Amino acid sequence: MEKKNCGLGKKIYLELAPPTEEDARGDRERLLDGLNEQGYKAFLPLKVLRNLYPFCREAQWKFTAVLGWQGEKWEVLALEEGDTTQRQYGAAVDLGSTTIMMKIIDLNTGEEKAFQNIFNPQIPYGEEILSRIFYTKDQPEHLKELQRLTAEGVNHLLRLCQEECGIAPDECLSMTVAGNTTMTHFFLGLYPWPVFETPFAPVSKGGEFISGRELGIEIPGYVYTFPAAANYLGGDIISGLLEAGFYKREELSVFIDIGTNGELVAGNKEFLLAGAGAAGPALEGGISQYGMRASSGAVDGVTISAGNLRIHTIGEGRPRGICGSGIVELLAEMFLEGWVDASGRFNEGVSERILRVSGTQDPEKEELAVCYAWEDESEQGEKLVFTQSDVQEFIRTKAAAHTMVEYLLEEFGLEGEQIGQFYLAGGFGTHLELEAAITIGIYPDLPRDKFCILGNASLKGAVRLLKNLEALGETERIAEEITYLQFGNAGDFLEKMHRAQFLPYTDLEQYPTVKEKLAAREAKRQKCGRVQ
Amino acid sequence: MEKKNCGLGKKIYLELAPPTEEDARGDRERLLDGLNEQGYKAFLPLKVLRNLYPFCREAQWKFTAVLGWQGEKWEVLALEEGDTTQRQYGAAVDLGSTTIMMKIIDLNTGEEKAFQNIFNPQIPYGEEILSRIFYTKDQPEHLKELQRLTAEGVNHLLRLCQEECGIAPDECLSMTVAGNTTMTHFFLGLYPWPVFETPFAPVSKGGEFISGRELGIEIPGYVYTFPAAANYLGGDIISGLLEAGFYKREELSVFIDIGTNGELVAGNKEFLLAGAGAAGPALEGGISQYGMRASSGAVDGVTISAGNLRIHTIGEGRPRGICGSGIVELLAEMFLEGWVDASGRFNEGVSERILRVSGTQDPEKEELAVCYAWEDESEQGEKLVFTQSDVQEFIRTKAAAHTMVEYLLEEFGLEGEQIGQFYLAGGFGTHLELEAAITIGIYPDLPRDKFCILGNASLKGAVRLLKNLEALGETERIAEEITYLQFGNAGDFLEKMHRAQFLPYTDLEQYPTVKEKLAAREAKRQKCGRVQ
């Protein structure tokens, strides 16, 4: 019986009967038979084959076979004297365009042994993915360079993890990598241009096992790249869907990942329907003038109470800018406190934090803005502001996100109530952020227990697959079975989006909890008196 | 439906639909789907994957995929613009310890395009296999050297074939290699010592696809080594059995290959029983002082008529020695003409060719010998002789061969008449040689139409597999299903062998055609008068 209820790497301790005249099988056959008896159909590469003698005899036929899944069979990556099965690990990677994250997993216990992240070393070649793609256009040497840099980044993470937990790269028998289609192209060294050029047929949709050695990754085994379902629905989303797991349930659920792009998948065990599109500037990890990455010094939390605006910064230090989750909370709080109206326009005079600054587009023309912080502690220095244009741009972004959800639900002819679970991947990792996101109308106003915050679903899915070979078939099935809709093609998409450019929505009745909150805040303000 | 009725290499011409917005599959998936539709489940190595763009587009999606069977799937070895399917070839190799032979096969037509052979480049490291094994014992560098030399020999053959037929090594998509267990070890770079050391468990029994590149063989695809059933029953025999084909028939048949060793396999589609053993000095390609290899200048045919001994030499030039088939004919003719008696002893005086020479073992002690030729044309120079000791040694060899056949038949409880076919592999390629071999009692005296002379069955089997992937499963089944007997273990083997040390056998009644021939020759001599 073939074993699949194990990770993508596996160590098997064998105690084999030494050869006798009655049983004169070859060393190779003796080893392969031994593995086969335990359910592992394997093969030996030439390198290991050549070391069988005298290894097996010196080890007195008691040794550990180090296996890596190669796509069809197990490859015997190495042989180790005695029983070394206590140490078997794997690496899971979330290959983001901004951040690359890695977890080292104990394949015996499923435990996480290390977690590290670095900025994607491709960033110097372009903040935005498209700049990096242009950098490699018709420049095979540049593509090689980015492939090499990406591999080096992954190797760097392996070493950072080694420092954290003492597990060496060569103890990682397998690696799973979840990245969007372009990231996967860079990682494999495939020309990424067609990913962004009509008719959007990439070189490969991934879903392959490639030897680490060939890719320049310092692990002995194979690297699996999650398959894409379509250009804009990459391996990172498939990985997230694997983590969410609703593809195997009766109940209809929705998976939403709003990052640099917005991706949505709805379905159950019978079908999966997906849509994706560039959601304008990112909600999280944005690149626009008003936002910064969720890194040290970024404002990631905002509350306004009794007219006082308070912030939280990542790393607890001085604020340097505001990141996606900070923006969502800022906007939600300002809306609930009446600092901005339903169309996002500032109410001048309602707080001294609202002031006039030189315009973003045209410095000659002043515009309103909120000062959410100062760079220095004295609150005298450079003001950190979020302008009217920033608000409008962000509302367009959230409208796009909202519309995608709405459009997808309509495609199914479903009301929000009929949906089992809303899985939220990517940003909005806390309950507070979820509340804020609903307040400004990114998500529909549904009972909160319908929302399931996955966090970094892509990395979690990569871990899940790494630990369980059986999930491989499911991964492939997800990627194959998704039906893909291009939202841009939908006739009334723009009209719908226009209706969504209000906080939380044109029709407040669709957001009863937001309506309640507004009333509660108003009552509180009445009670406490408005602070100027 | 998976296609297997093709060779181990295959070119597929594809005309693929270019990508559109409606069909935005990746280039890789488009290619693999195209191959799948034609029944070829394939994968792309990174090298080819990286070249998909812009290749597919530049070729306007009309190109040829070059496939090589990798053991589990087809590997796309390369892509060629346009339709190049007219040129698809493979190489079949008989890896003998003395000679390496190669045929280049057209995988479209099955035609043989070239046939070349060279001496095994290992020979300088030992005429006998055992010397070569000793050369590598505890010397990994020496093993590497012999592996490299063997690969270079194969590459040399590829180039010789290219000179003959214009087909370049890189046009050979696949290679099959049939060699005995030791030769396969040397070829793969595996330590051969355990092949000859008790309990005779080799490092590997072969039966693997290994990339040519890894072995240093200049073909783009994979090299298959025929599997051994046991140490002494190597891939060359399995290949020969594939060629003989009786493993799929009802009728019981026997396969005999008497070369450096003697191998016998009897069976039908229900079972295969084999035996092998070092048959003493070789019948063909021997290494003893009295024989030489079947190469230019070797006496390979002998007739004695009206007291005149005539010879034939390979290459038609001056004789330099006598090879296996020459010895068999010499002995048969001398026996029929009464120059030797049934126990192999020379009848001194019956011909002036029979003379006294200084003994082989002890130069002081004269012994009888036959002068079968002179080195120079004047018949005055150095005499080429076959001595009494040579005859005795050869008779022991032929007795071993005879006994193996006899023993095997007894194991089955079979009389010769119950046997469908006797397949003769290796030497004795002509009807005359077969007659001589029966005359001296190597083979039983059966109706001649029961004998099927296969010639180089090992090379033929390698060609057969190369042309037909379906034969791969059969090859593996043969190797797995053979039950192996070690003759040396049989209690009465020596006694049986003793009985076989007569020409043709202790009991002439078992050789009725030989008895007839003896009578006919005697009658002829009576009629013509004996020539002194």
Side-chain angles (χ1 to χ4, degrees):
Chain A
M1 184 55 199
E2 205 173 338
K3 279 264 180 68
K4 290 212 163 182
N5 57 345
C6 63
L8 296 191
K10 181 76 186 168
K11 282 188 174 182
I12 304 288
Y13 176 62
L14 295 166
E15 294 195 355
L16 300 174
T20 59
E21 293 212 9
E22 291 68 43
D23 172 15
R25 280 173 298 162
D27 298 356
R28 166 178 170 267
E29 291 71 34
R30 193 170 302 273
L31 167 56
L32 295 182
D33 288 351
L35 291 172
N36 217 18
E37 277 163 27
Q38 300 204 28
Y40 299 89
K41 204 181 159 203
F43 71 96
L44 278 79
L46 198 53
K47 188 186 62 141
V48 175
L49 195 59
R50 286 179 176 169
N51 286 332
L52 279 180
Y53 190 97
F55 174 85
C56 298
R57 284 153 171 93
E58 283 178 1
Q60 297 182 295
W61 299 95
K62 293 177 172 67
F63 56 80
T64 302
V66 182
L67 308 182
W69 185 254
Q70 167 257 16
E72 303 284 325
K73 275 184 166 186
W74 293 96
E75 176 170 323
V76 180
L77 304 172
L79 300 174
E80 295 172 349
E81 270 195 55
D83 183 351
T84 65
T85 55
Q86 278 310 300
R87 292 186 72 83
Q88 44 182 320
Y89 307 97
V93 176
D94 172 35
L95 183 60
S97 57
T98 303
T99 312
I100 311 182
M101 300 186 186
M102 179 183 286
K103 281 188 173 168
I104 301 295
I105 304 299
D106 184 327
L107 295 178
N108 277 312
T109 62
E111 238 176 296
E112 291 180 18
K113 306 301 281 187
F115 173 47
Q116 291 287 332
N117 65 78
I118 56 167
F119 281 118
N120 190 321
Q122 298 161 6
I123 292 175
Y125 298 85
E127 284 267 342
E128 286 184 74
I129 284 189
L130 205 54
S131 324
R132 303 178 205 168
I133 292 178
F134 268 106
Y135 177 70
T136 62
K137 183 155 165 34
D138 302 325
Q139 299 282 350
E141 286 311 310
H142 287 181
L143 176 57
K144 268 189 198 165
E145 190 185 356
L146 287 197
Q147 196 281 326
R148 188 180 49 77
L149 278 174
T150 314
E152 280 175 9
V154 171
N155 288 335
H156 182 50
L157 277 168
L158 283 168
R159 284 188 297 269
L160 288 176
C161 287
Q162 183 177 12
E163 283 167 28
E164 183 185 342
C165 67
I167 294 161
D170 67 7
E171 296 185 276
C172 293
L173 313 185
S174 197
M175 181 183 281
T176 50
V177 177
N180 68 34
T181 311
T182 306
M183 282 304 115
T184 303
H185 273 59
F186 280 130
F187 181 67
L188 298 179
L190 307 182
Y191 195 63
W193 182 254
V195 176
F196 271 72
E197 191 190 44
T198 174
F200 309 109
V203 174
S204 168
K205 287 190 177 161
E208 292 176 282
F209 286 87
I210 295 181
S211 85
R213 189 177 26 79
E214 273 195 277
L215 291 170
I217 303 292
E218 294 162 355
I219 65 162
Y222 287 81
V223 177
Y224 179 74
T225 53
F226 273 83
N231 256 17
Y232 290 102
L233 205 74
D236 49 349
I237 300 301
I238 303 306
S239 174
L241 289 170
L242 179 71
E243 176 62 19
F246 61 83
Y247 62 88
K248 44 186 176 187
R249 292 202 294 273
E250 290 279 354
E251 167 187 87
L252 188 104
S253 293
V254 174
F255 174 94
I256 304 176
D257 185 350
I258 297 173
T260 308
N261 293 303
E263 287 102 357
L264 280 110
V265 183
N268 58 16
K269 69 176 189 177
E270 270 152 39
F271 66 94
L272 289 169
L273 188 58
L283 290 183
E284 186 70 47
I287 313 123
S288 78
Q289 65 269 28
Y290 60 80
M292 67 175 282
R293 282 189 216 108
S295 57
S296 181
V299 171
D300 67 342
V302 175
T303 53
I304 303 178
S305 176
N308 292 318
L309 187 151
R310 290 201 172 79
I311 57 166
H312 177 264
T313 57
I314 297 176
E316 319 288 338
R318 296 302 311 158
R320 297 191 297 118
I322 190 162
C323 69
S325 58
I327 295 169
V328 171
E329 291 197 3
L330 175 64
L331 210 53
E333 287 294 297
M334 291 202 299
F335 173 60
L336 291 176
E337 290 295 315
W339 292 19
V340 297
D341 65 15
S343 63
R345 269 190 299 272
F346 282 108
N347 285 325
E348 202 177 1
V350 80
S351 161
E352 61 188 10
R353 289 292 190 103
I354 295 166
L355 36 85
R356 288 190 173 266
V357 296
S358 57
T360 319
Q361 266 95 49
D362 177 4
E364 296 298 303
K365 207 180 150 199
E366 285 195 328
E367 63 173 338
L368 288 167
V370 61
C371 166
Y372 61 88
W374 285 266
E375 285 193 345
D376 62 351
E377 272 177 85
S378 65
E379 303 198 350
Q380 301 296 320
E382 190 71 34
K383 288 184 173 74
L384 295 173
V385 300
F386 200 76
T387 70
Q388 189 64 66
S389 332
D390 295 339
V391 172
Q392 297 311 331
E393 199 173 331
F394 192 80
I395 286 180
R396 278 192 293 277
T397 301
K398 84 96 193 170
H402 176 101
T403 309
M404 285 197 285
V405 180
E406 187 187 345
Y407 185 81
L408 200 72
L409 296 185
E410 275 193 17
E411 277 289 316
F412 293 125
L414 283 176
E415 303 292 318
E417 299 82 57
Q418 294 170 279
I419 289 168
Q421 290 275 300
F422 259 83
Y423 291 92
L424 305 182
F428 313 121
T430 70
H431 180 65
L432 263 185
E433 289 161 2
L434 172 63
E435 278 305 322
I438 293 173
T439 299
I440 65 168
I442 297 178
Y443 302 125
D445 188 358
L446 296 175
R448 302 305 184 261
D449 62 4
K450 292 221 168 190
F451 289 96
C452 177
I453 295 170
L454 290 172
N456 190 338
S458 163
L459 182 58
K460 286 183 177 166
V463 169
R464 181 174 292 269
L465 174 59
L466 187 65
K467 294 198 288 194
N468 185 7
L469 180 54
E470 278 172 332
L472 185 60
E474 295 173 22
T475 304
E476 288 167 356
R477 207 159 47 247
I478 295 169
E480 273 166 26
E481 288 180 4
I482 288 184
T483 307
Y484 181 64
L485 293 175
Q486 212 135 11
F487 287 122
N489 300 340
D492 57 349
F493 194 82
L494 283 178
E495 193 193 318
K496 278 198 169 67
M497 212 172 113
H498 193 75
R499 282 205 299 273
Q501 285 180 20
F502 289 88
L503 302 176
Y505 190 63
T506 36
D507 178 9
L508 188 59
E509 297 307 315
Q510 290 192 22
Y511 279 80
T513 68
V514 178
K515 195 179 169 189
E516 272 170 40
K517 272 188 211 165
L518 278 170
R521 293 273 188 126
E522 177 60 29
K524 197 174 167 193
R525 283 199 297 276
Q526 295 295 346
K527 196 172 156 195
C528 305
R530 186 162 290 191
V531 180
Q532 282 299 332
Chain B
M1 186 52 201
E2 205 172 337
K3 280 263 180 66
K4 290 211 163 182
N5 57 345
C6 62
L8 296 190
K10 181 77 186 169
K11 282 187 174 183
I12 304 287
Y13 175 63
L14 294 166
E15 294 194 358
L16 300 174
T20 59
E21 293 211 9
E22 291 68 44
D23 172 15
R25 280 172 298 162
D27 297 357
R28 167 178 170 267
E29 291 71 34
R30 195 171 300 274
L31 167 56
L32 294 182
D33 288 350
L35 291 172
N36 217 17
E37 277 164 27
Q38 299 203 29
Y40 299 88
K41 203 179 159 204
F43 71 98
L44 278 79
L46 197 54
K47 187 187 65 144
V48 175
L49 195 59
R50 286 179 174 167
N51 286 332
L52 279 180
Y53 189 97
F55 174 85
C56 297
R57 285 152 171 92
E58 283 179 1
Q60 299 183 295
W61 299 95
K62 295 178 171 70
F63 56 79
T64 301
V66 182
L67 308 182
W69 185 254
Q70 168 257 15
E72 303 284 326
K73 274 183 163 185
W74 294 96
E75 177 172 323
V76 181
L77 304 172
L79 299 174
E80 296 172 347
E81 272 195 54
D83 183 350
T84 64
T85 54
Q86 277 310 299
R87 293 186 72 84
Q88 44 183 319
Y89 307 98
V93 175
D94 171 35
L95 184 59
S97 57
T98 304
T99 312
I100 311 182
M101 299 188 187
M102 179 183 284
K103 281 188 175 171
I104 302 294
I105 304 298
D106 185 328
L107 295 178
N108 276 312
T109 62
E111 238 176 294
E112 291 180 17
K113 306 300 283 186
F115 174 48
Q116 292 287 331
N117 64 79
I118 57 168
F119 281 118
N120 190 321
Q122 299 161 5
I123 292 174
Y125 298 84
E127 284 266 342
E128 284 184 75
I129 283 188
L130 206 53
S131 325
R132 302 178 205 170
I133 291 177
F134 269 106
Y135 177 70
T136 62
K137 183 155 166 30
D138 303 323
Q139 300 282 350
E141 286 311 309
H142 287 181
L143 176 56
K144 270 190 195 164
E145 188 186 358
L146 286 197
Q147 195 282 326
R148 188 180 50 76
L149 278 174
T150 313
E152 278 174 10
V154 171
N155 289 334
H156 182 50
L157 278 169
L158 282 167
R159 287 187 296 271
L160 289 175
C161 287
Q162 182 178 13
E163 281 167 29
E164 183 184 341
C165 67
I167 294 161
D170 67 8
E171 296 185 277
C172 293
L173 313 185
S174 198
M175 182 183 280
T176 50
V177 176
N180 67 34
T181 310
T182 307
M183 283 303 115
T184 303
H185 274 56
F186 280 130
F187 181 65
L188 298 180
L190 307 182
Y191 194 64
W193 182 255
V195 176
F196 271 73
E197 191 191 43
T198 174
F200 310 110
V203 174
S204 168
K205 286 190 177 163
E208 291 177 283
F209 285 87
I210 295 181
S211 87
R213 189 177 25 79
E214 273 196 276
L215 291 170
I217 303 292
E218 296 163 355
I219 65 162
Y222 288 81
V223 177
Y224 180 73
T225 51
F226 273 83
N231 256 17
Y232 289 103
L233 206 73
D236 50 348
I237 299 301
I238 304 303
S239 173
L241 290 171
L242 179 72
E243 177 63 19
F246 61 83
Y247 61 88
K248 44 187 176 186
R249 290 201 296 271
E250 291 278 356
E251 170 186 86
L252 188 104
S253 291
V254 174
F255 174 95
I256 305 175
D257 185 350
I258 296 172
T260 308
N261 292 304
E263 287 102 359
L264 280 111
V265 183
N268 58 16
K269 67 177 189 177
E270 271 152 40
F271 66 94
L272 289 168
L273 189 58
L283 289 183
E284 186 71 49
I287 313 126
S288 77
Q289 67 268 27
Y290 59 79
M292 66 175 283
R293 282 190 217 107
S295 57
S296 182
V299 171
D300 66 342
V302 176
T303 53
I304 304 177
S305 175
N308 291 320
L309 187 152
R310 291 201 172 79
I311 58 165
H312 177 263
T313 57
I314 297 175
E316 318 288 338
R318 293 304 308 160
R320 299 190 295 120
I322 191 161
C323 68
S325 58
I327 294 169
V328 171
E329 292 198 3
L330 174 65
L331 209 54
E333 287 294 297
M334 292 201 299
F335 173 61
L336 291 176
E337 290 296 315
W339 292 19
V340 295
D341 65 18
S343 63
R345 271 191 297 272
F346 283 108
N347 286 326
E348 200 176 0
V350 78
S351 161
E352 61 189 10
R353 289 291 191 105
I354 295 165
L355 35 88
R356 286 188 175 267
V357 296
S358 57
T360 318
Q361 267 94 47
D362 176 3
E364 296 297 300
K365 207 179 150 200
E366 282 195 332
E367 63 175 335
L368 288 169
V370 60
C371 166
Y372 60 87
W374 286 264
E375 284 193 347
D376 63 351
E377 274 178 85
S378 66
E379 303 197 348
Q380 301 296 320
E382 190 71 32
K383 287 187 174 73
L384 294 173
V385 299
F386 201 77
T387 70
Q388 189 65 65
S389 332
D390 295 339
V391 172
Q392 296 311 331
E393 198 172 333
F394 192 80
I395 286 180
R396 276 192 293 277
T397 301
K398 85 95 193 170
H402 174 102
T403 309
M404 285 196 285
V405 180
E406 187 187 346
Y407 186 80
L408 202 72
L409 295 184
E410 274 193 17
E411 277 290 315
F412 294 125
L414 284 174
E415 302 291 320
E417 298 83 54
Q418 294 170 278
I419 288 168
Q421 291 273 301
F422 259 83
Y423 291 93
L424 306 182
F428 312 122
T430 68
H431 179 68
L432 262 184
E433 288 162 1
L434 172 64
E435 279 304 323
I438 294 172
T439 299
I440 65 169
I442 297 176
Y443 302 125
D445 189 358
L446 296 174
R448 300 307 182 260
D449 61 5
K450 293 221 170 190
F451 290 95
C452 177
I453 295 169
L454 290 172
N456 189 337
S458 163
L459 183 58
K460 285 181 178 169
V463 168
R464 181 174 292 268
L465 174 59
L466 187 66
K467 294 198 287 194
N468 186 8
L469 179 55
E470 277 172 333
L472 186 59
E474 295 174 24
T475 303
E476 288 167 356
R477 208 161 44 248
I478 295 168
E480 275 165 27
E481 288 181 4
I482 289 184
T483 307
Y484 182 64
L485 294 175
Q486 214 136 9
F487 286 123
N489 300 340
D492 58 347
F493 193 82
L494 283 177
E495 191 193 318
K496 278 197 167 68
M497 214 173 112
H498 193 76
R499 283 205 299 272
Q501 287 181 19
F502 290 88
L503 301 177
Y505 192 64
T506 35
D507 177 11
L508 189 58
E509 296 308 315
Q510 290 193 23
Y511 281 79
T513 69
V514 179
K515 193 177 169 188
E516 271 170 37
K517 273 188 209 163
L518 278 169
R521 292 275 189 124
E522 176 62 29
K524 197 173 166 195
R525 283 199 298 277
Q526 296 293 346
K527 196 172 156 195
C528 305
R530 189 164 286 194
V531 179
Q532 283 296 334

